[in-house]
């Protein structure tokens, strides 16, 4: 076959980097189009200040940034450097920020980025413009630095050109052409450019282009202020024209500020002002003739506090003044992450949008792997184009949350902190009951999810009265948390509890081709009798875990699939056969589910059911379509919390009646409603993985400890060949148990042995059953149960021991009875 023709829209940092990565992999028929001139195209890259801070709570984003820094460091440009590794310094002026820097230092260690916490004097030595008296300390990352965005773009473009790529300026893409569900090219004023692959790397212009092909690319162009001072006396003579900068790039996040040198001047960027979303329609008319449509006029008033605060932090600026400034446009998204992927209904149309210079080369590499090899080697689920729930694609949601992402860009954000605006978009039929019970709601996937119930406070008191240790939490881990959750998990293990499982994504997969499709898509054997329920994995072509599912066979040709969110719907949709023999329907919102779990679950439910739901009557991992009272239900004997009981499903209109029926019947058993925090603790005790947190497409089933769900003998499935030729895993997911009953970690902390970083924590929870915190961690494969490890949490070292799995109930006596 002839080489695929690739058109990249946008010659900014993403488009040029992608042209380089794609041509480097041997696809050389690449044309890059830009609406502006080359390479100062007038987009965000043209004015990007180029600070590359690599550390990020997201491992993926950190890896993208690390690749960018490394790659830019190796680029050649006649004008000079593309990357200047001056290092990065973030300073704290509040105790909260100092603690945050400890957390940051933890992420850096977890993701393998060199960094060190410094006291105020050390910070001032590193960056002599700093007033040491103003700061409490800092975090120094020597490998961070400055990217020269335009040079890096041009240098990468030149490599691509040398391999045959073409770059064409002044080409507004007027239309994306397609036939039979595939892209065939793009049309510009100059004519048609044929293409098999079109990549939209148009930055903040991209959302408009997406619209023309029926795609919502949820980004908002935001104006952000950047100024340059005049000459700063202290800097005179320090930097050669070529070096431009020698001091570390600096962040003062308590005041939403960052700084870099421009020779003997200082550049200051500011996020403290109100969000300034840019209306694209007016931008297009207002700037039609402008060289730099992405640079809006400076608004002095918005910058006044920034200047004041800058003089406090860097007093020598007092002799200087703001000499120039502008409000530069770049893209913000609802969750602050980039947007990557292929259009589901227009194959060959790809998106690489909302990418900072910081992450650009890493994103481009992953895109090239995805386009050419079929899957990126880095886990990109956090950036996937199809990660958004439906309400999150509304204009209201996109504007509101992207503005919030701007406000929070330098904020200290708790991992369990949830959106405050646009809440209540999805509520289960049990919602009013939950409110009555004093539920504290977390938000997830636009659903309201009870985290714990204040009505269970007396149970916590009972636990205290019987002498149970309830660990005190530090202020950080005590946020978005209540010890009531401990009482809820104990009550589940000792009696019975009701869990609202409605937000669990579920699909109906039906039709004569349903079994074949699911067999091809997943690793376990699903060709079992009606009533069977199977835990199974979806792999990508490289054998990485895309998701873990439960599949219930409700009839010979219809299956209910319990899934992990919108990405599963997207993946399955892409694999549907063309012949119409399978239909896929998201039934999450039209149905609901209560998990009734605990040793007394059967006593509670059996009297409501005419069918036999004894241990033999409805076996473990079997389902039954029956009635509870007058309510039609599907019961599945599955338990993510590791207790006797069922997930009980019904359609939405019966939901409230089902809840009330169970609640009434449970009175004699003291049934409680229990929340997500207890749920999470119990599943961690039981060794059950949470996809996205504990395992992703970067991991094989064996490494993640879920290879029991892989049955090669059943026949072909996606990823099977890759698994057969896979090397032995070098890292394994393990359960670790902390020694100190008061030790708490939350996830993403580094794991060390003898002072050297060996891995990182994925998720963690306090286990009431064993009275210790349990965590999952990715560790070298030769570290085994019984081995000791250290976990760094906010500057303290917690000792833990690798445990056999599961930690609780390895003999399954609680579930199988
Ligand atoms: N679907 C349902 N119905 N319920 C769930 O809780 C979930 N999940 C995800 C997505 N789909 C779901 C899947 N995660 C087990 C472990 C993880 C799960 C679901 C179930 C489990 O019970 N594993 C047992 C049984 C294995 C077997 O017999 O094959 C085990 O590992 O011992 C919630 O996130």
């Amino acid at each position: 076959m002839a080489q695929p023709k690739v058109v990249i829209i946008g010659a900014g940092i993403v488009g040029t980097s992608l042209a380089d990565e794609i041509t480097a992999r041997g696809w050389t028929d690449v044309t890059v189009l830009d609406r502006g001139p080359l390479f100062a195209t007038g987009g965000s890259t043209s004015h990007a200040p180029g600070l590359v801070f690599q550390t990020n709570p997201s491992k993926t984003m950190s890896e993208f940034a690390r690749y960018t820094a490394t790659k830019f460091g190796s680029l050649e440009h006649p004008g000079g450097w593309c990357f200047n590794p001056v290092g990065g310094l973030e300073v704290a002026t509040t105790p909260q920020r100092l603690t945050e820097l400890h957390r940051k230092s933890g992420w850096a260690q977890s993701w393998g980025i060199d960094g060190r916490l410094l006291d105020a004097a050390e910070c001032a030595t590193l960056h002599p413009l700093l007033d040491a008296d103003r700061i409490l300390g800092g975090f120094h990352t020597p490998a961070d630095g400055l990217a020269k965005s335009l040079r890096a773009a041009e240098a990468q473009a030149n490599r691509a050109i040398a391999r045959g790529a073409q770059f064409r300026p002044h080409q507004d893409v007027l239309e994306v052409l397609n036939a039979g569900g595939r892209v065939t090219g793009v049309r510009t004023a100059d004519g048609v450019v044929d293409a098999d692959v079109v990549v939209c790397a148009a930055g903040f212009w991209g959302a408009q282009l997406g619209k023309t092909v029926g795609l919502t690319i949820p980004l908002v162009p935001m104006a952000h202020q950047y100024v340059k001072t005049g000459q700063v006396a202290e800097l005179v003579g320090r930097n050669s024209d070529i070096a431009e900068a020698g001091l570390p790039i600096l962040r003062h996040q308590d005041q939403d500020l960052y700084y870099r040198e421009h020779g003997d001047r200082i550049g200051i960027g500011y996020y403290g002002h109100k969000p300034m979303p840019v209306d694209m329609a007016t931008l297009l008319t207002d700037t039609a003739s402008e060289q730099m449509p992405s640079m809006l006029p400076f608004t002095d008033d918005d910058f006044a506090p920034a200047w004041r605060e800058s003089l406090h932090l860097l007093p020598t600026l007092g002799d200087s003044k703001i000499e120039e400034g502008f409000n530069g446009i770049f893209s913000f998204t609802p969750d602050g992450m980039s947007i990557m992927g292929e259009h589901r209904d227009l194959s060959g149309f790809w998106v690489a949008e909302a990418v900072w210079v910081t992450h650009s080369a890493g994103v481009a590499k992953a895109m090239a792997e995805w386009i050419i090899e079929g899957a990126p080697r880095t886990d990109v689920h956090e950036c996937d184009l199809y990660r958004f729930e439906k309400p999150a694609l509304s204009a209201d949601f996109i504007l509101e949350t992207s503005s919030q992402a701007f406000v929070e860009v330098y904020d200290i954000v708790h991992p369990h902190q949830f959106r405050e605006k646009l809440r209540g978009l999805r509520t289960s039929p049990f919602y009013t009951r939950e409110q009555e019970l004093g539920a504290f709601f977390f938000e997830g996937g636009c659903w309201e999810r009870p985290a714990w119930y204040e009505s269970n406070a007396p149970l916590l008191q009972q636990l205290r009265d019987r002498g149970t240790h309830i660990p005190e939490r530090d202020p950080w881990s005590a946020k978005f948390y209540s010890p009531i959750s401990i009482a809820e998990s104990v009550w589940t293990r000792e009696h019975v509890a009701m869990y609202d499982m409605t937000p669990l994504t579920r699909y109906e997969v039906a039709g004569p081709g349903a079994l074949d499709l699911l067999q091809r898509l997943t690793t376990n054997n699903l060709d079992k009798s009606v009533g069977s329920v199977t835990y199974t994995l979806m792999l990508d072509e490289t054998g990485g875990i895309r998701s873990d599912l439960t599949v219930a066979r409700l009839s010979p040709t219809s299956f209910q699939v319990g899934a992990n969110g919108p990405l599963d719907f997207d993946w399955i949709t892409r694999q549907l056969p063309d012949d119409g023999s399978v239909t896929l329907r998201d039934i999450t919102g039209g149905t609901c589910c209560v998990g009734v779990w605990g040793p007394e679950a059967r006593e509670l439910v059996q009297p409501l059911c005419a069918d036999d739901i004894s241990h033999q009557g409805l076996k473990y991992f079997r389902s039954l379509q029956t009635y509870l009272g007058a309510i039609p239900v599907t019961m599945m004997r599955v338990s993510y919390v590791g207790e006797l009981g069922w997930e009980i499903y019904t359609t939405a209109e019966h939901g409230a009646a089902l809840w009330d029926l169970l609640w009434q019947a449970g009175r004699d058993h003291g049934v409680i409603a229990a929340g997500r925090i207890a749920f999470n603790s119990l599943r961690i005790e039981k060794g059950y993985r949470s996809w996205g947190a504990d395992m992703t497409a970067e991991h094989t089933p064996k490494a993640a400890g879920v290879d029991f769900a892989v049955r090669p003998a059943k026949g072909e499935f996606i990823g099977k060949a890759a698994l057969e030729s896979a090397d032995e895993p070098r890292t394994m997911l393990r359960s670790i148990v902390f020694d100190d009953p008061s030790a708490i970690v939350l996830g993403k902390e580094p794991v060390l042995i003898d002072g050297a970083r060996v891995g990182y924590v994925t998720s963690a929870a306090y286990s009431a059953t064993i009275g210790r915190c349990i965590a999952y961690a990715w560790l070298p494969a030769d570290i085994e149960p019984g081995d000791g490890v250290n976990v760094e949490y906010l500057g303290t070292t917690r000792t833990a021991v690798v445990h056999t799995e599961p930690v609780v109930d390895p003999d399954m006596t609680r579930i199988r009875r």
Side-chain angles (χ1 to χ4, degrees):
M1 188 185 108
Q3 269 201 355
K5 292 188 195 341
V6 180
V7 165
I8 297 170
I9 303 169
I13 198 70
V14 178
T16 51
S17 196
L18 186 57
D20 178 39
E21 296 285 341
I22 287 183
T23 53
R25 284 166 176 76
W27 287 16
T28 51
D29 191 342
V30 173
T31 307
V32 185
L33 308 173
D34 202 286
R35 63 192 301 284
L38 299 176
F39 283 90
T41 63
S44 302
T45 302
S46 309
H47 63 72
L51 287 79
V52 179
F53 283 97
Q54 298 174 52
T55 310
N56 190 290
S58 157
K59 172 169 167 281
T60 301
M61 294 312 253
S62 289
E63 282 174 6
F64 286 163
R66 181 166 49 202
Y67 182 76
T68 305
T70 309
K71 183 180 187 189
F72 286 9
S74 72
L75 292 175
E76 310 254 340
H77 190 284
W81 54 270
C82 293
F83 187 72
N84 185 354
V86 290
L89 178 64
E90 308 192 38
V91 293
T93 57
T94 60
Q96 292 79 5
R97 181 67 60 179
L98 195 60
T99 313
E100 173 74 358
L101 292 183
H102 274 97
R103 264 189 296 279
K104 209 158 226 186
S105 157
W107 299 329
Q109 278 194 77
S110 285
W111 317 144
I113 295 164
D114 189 20
R116 209 159 64 85
L117 290 156
L118 306 179
D119 64 25
E122 290 171 308
C123 291
T125 307
L126 215 67
H127 200 304
L129 267 51
L130 279 170
D131 179 355
D133 292 339
R134 288 275 164 189
I135 58 180
L136 303 175
F139 179 54
H140 179 221
T141 41
D144 288 345
L146 282 167
K148 197 81 175 171
S149 313
L150 286 182
R151 272 186 215 149
E154 190 170 358
Q156 293 179 97
N158 286 338
R159 300 201 323 191
I161 290 166
R163 299 186 197 106
Q166 293 184 44
F167 280 73
R168 298 200 201 151
H170 307 296
Q171 298 288 317
D172 234 330
V173 171
L174 305 172
E175 192 184 354
V176 176
L177 305 171
N178 66 84
R182 286 206 59 89
V183 292
T184 56
V186 299
R187 196 164 55 77
T188 72
D190 289 358
V192 168
V193 187
D194 292 336
D196 306 297
V197 171
V198 172
V199 187
C200 179
F204 65 82
W205 308 102
Q208 305 288 106
L209 191 71
K211 246 183 228 156
T212 67
V213 291
L215 200 60
T216 304
I217 302 175
L219 64 78
V220 177
M222 292 275 186
H224 152 68
Q225 294 197 296
Y226 192 79
V227 305
K228 283 181 189 171
T229 64
Q231 198 177 60
V232 175
E234 293 234 351
L235 292 180
V236 174
R238 274 188 81 108
N239 299 314
S240 68
D241 280 353
I242 292 181
E244 235 178 281
L247 300 177
I249 52 175
L250 179 67
R251 266 182 182 167
H252 176 25
Q253 302 191 73
D254 290 318
Q255 296 297 340
D256 297 303
L257 283 160
Y258 65 82
Y259 306 88
R260 58 159 291 182
E261 291 162 282
H262 294 276
D264 54 16
R265 305 159 73 194
I266 292 277
I268 309 176
Y270 187 44
Y271 289 111
H273 53 78
K274 61 185 184 296
M276 304 187 218
V278 176
D279 176 29
M280 291 304 286
T282 46
L283 183 76
L284 278 171
T285 41
D286 292 357
T287 65
S289 58
E290 304 241 344
Q291 274 280 342
M292 273 294 175
S294 62
M295 289 168 78
L296 301 178
F298 187 58
T299 49
D300 313 55
D301 287 355
D302 294 310
F303 199 77
W307 184 242
R308 226 172 24 243
E309 291 301 332
S310 296
L311 297 187
H312 286 152
L313 187 74
L314 309 166
T316 51
L317 293 188
D319 302 331
S320 183
K321 60 178 182 2
I322 301 171
E323 223 169 59
E324 53 184 295
F326 63 94
N327 290 7
I329 302 177
F330 67 121
S331 307
F332 270 80
T333 58
D335 54 9
M337 308 293 277
S338 298
I339 303 175
M340 305 164 65
E342 185 182 17
H343 196 319
R344 187 158 73 213
D345 306 315
L346 179 57
S347 79
F349 187 87
W350 294 78
V351 167
E353 285 289 328
V355 183
W356 292 28
V357 169
T358 309
H359 309 113
S360 57
V363 166
K365 172 172 176 281
M367 287 294 298
E369 291 163 352
W370 203 348
I371 293 169
I372 295 173
E373 297 161 17
R377 287 185 209 168
T378 311
D379 158 48
V380 297
H381 83 273
E382 295 169 309
C383 299
D384 197 295
L385 170 60
Y386 286 98
R387 68 187 179 274
F388 301 97
E389 301 282 349
K390 216 166 187 176
L393 292 175
S394 62
D396 277 7
F397 192 99
I398 295 169
L399 182 60
E400 185 67 56
T401 54
S402 302
S403 302
Q404 191 59 24
F406 181 91
V407 170
E408 285 176 1
V409 69
Y410 278 3
D411 281 5
I412 300 170
V413 179
H414 193 277
H416 296 160
Q417 182 169 321
F418 294 93
R419 193 177 64 246
E420 282 174 11
K421 301 218 176 106
L422 289 168
R423 290 290 298 261
L425 291 172
R426 303 172 92 183
T427 56
S428 89
F430 324 135
Y431 183 61
T432 52
R433 306 296 187 271
E434 294 164 352
Q435 284 179 310
E436 285 159 21
L437 294 169
F440 181 91
F441 291 97
F442 283 1
E443 184 274 338
C446 298
W447 283 99
E448 295 300 326
R449 307 170 137 196
W452 70 85
Y453 294 85
E454 288 297 330
S455 60
N456 294 325
L459 300 182
L460 177 61
Q461 192 52 48
Q462 280 179 28
L463 279 191
R464 292 194 201 273
D465 292 346
R466 79 189 197 197
T468 305
H469 171 71
I470 308 291
E472 283 299 316
R473 292 202 161 208
D474 65 275
W476 185 251
S477 65
K479 271 192 171 180
F480 305 101
Y481 173 81
S482 166
I484 290 172
S485 62
I486 297 179
E488 292 175 357
S489 56
V490 171
W491 198 263
T492 308
R493 292 259 184 259
E494 294 183 354
H495 302 282
V496 59
M498 286 163 52
Y499 289 83
D500 183 356
M501 298 288 287
T502 304
L504 175 84
T505 313
R506 49 198 168 272
Y507 311 129
E508 177 194 82
V509 181
L515 176 64
D516 282 352
L517 172 71
L518 290 169
Q519 286 285 63
R520 190 163 56 75
L521 277 180
T522 81
T523 59
N524 211 332
N525 184 22
L526 307 173
D527 191 3
K528 298 184 199 155
S529 60
V530 169
S532 63
V533 181
T534 309
Y535 176 72
T536 188
L537 310 171
M538 287 202 292
L539 306 182
D540 64 20
E541 295 288 354
T542 70
I545 305 169
R546 278 207 62 110
S547 189
D548 64 340
L549 310 173
T550 58
V551 178
R553 190 167 197 179
L554 299 183
S555 84
T557 56
S558 113
F559 298 82
Q560 182 170 321
V561 174
N564 285 305
L567 292 180
D568 294 333
F569 190 86
D570 177 51
W571 181 252
I572 300 172
T573 303
R574 288 168 190 271
Q575 316 288 340
L576 286 175
D578 296 331
D579 61 8
S581 64
V582 190
T583 56
L584 168 69
R585 215 157 55 88
D586 185 333
I587 57 168
T588 315
T591 58
C592 57
C593 178
V594 194
V596 182
W597 290 306
E600 293 174 45
R602 192 173 282 123
E603 281 117 81
L604 189 162
V605 180
Q606 179 69 80
L608 305 173
C609 187
D611 284 314
D612 174 13
I613 56 167
S614 66
H615 180 45
Q616 289 306 322
L618 176 52
K619 290 184 174 147
Y620 183 51
F621 266 75
R622 296 285 301 175
S623 69
L624 177 70
Q625 294 173 72
T626 181
Y627 289 90
L628 295 186
I631 301 166
V633 295
T634 300
M635 295 176 64
M636 289 186 204
R637 194 162 161 207
V638 171
S639 172
Y640 201 51
V641 305
E643 284 296 328
L644 171 66
W646 311 268
E647 291 176 351
I648 303 174
Y649 296 87
T650 190
T651 43
E653 83 276 25
H654 297 304
L658 174 65
W659 181 274
D660 291 345
L661 181 73
L662 293 166
W663 191 257
Q664 283 304 324
R667 287 181 98 157
D668 294 344
H669 305 278
V671 72
I672 62 161
R676 301 287 307 174
I677 298 177
F679 183 75
N680 188 51
S681 161
L682 296 172
R683 69 100 187 162
I684 288 180
E685 291 183 348
K686 196 64 189 72
Y688 297 158
R689 279 74 172 129
S690 173
W691 188 86
D694 305 316
M695 57 186 186
T696 68
E698 281 182 10
H699 309 113
T700 61
K702 186 165 186 188
V706 288
D707 48 339
F708 65 87
V710 183
R711 297 291 156 88
K714 77 160 189 178
E716 284 311 309
F717 55 85
I718 296 174
K720 183 179 177 186
L723 287 190
E724 281 166 356
S725 60
D727 297 333
E728 281 298 302
R730 283 180 295 143
T731 58
M732 301 284 286
L733 188 66
R734 301 282 192 189
S735 281
I736 63 173
V737 173
F738 288 82
D739 296 329
D740 176 354
S742 298
I744 301 291
V745 301
L746 299 178
K748 304 192 175 186
E749 295 84 1
V751 183
L752 297 88
I753 293 181
D754 297 332
R757 178 259 185 208
V758 294
Y760 59 91
V761 170
T762 56
S763 51
Y766 179 73
S767 157
T769 308
I770 65 161
R772 302 268 194 285
C773 181
I774 306 175
Y776 291 114
W778 281 99
L779 297 174
D782 60 353
I783 295 176
E784 296 195 333
D787 290 347
V789 295
N790 294 321
V791 179
E792 293 256 310
Y793 178 76
L794 298 185
T796 61
T797 301
R798 312 293 201 175
T799 59
V801 174
V802 179
H803 206 286
T804 52
E805 288 195 76
V807 177
V808 170
D809 195 25
D811 302 327
M812 302 288 281
T813 55
R814 306 190 67 86
I815 299 187
R816 292 178 186 271
R817 59 168 149 177

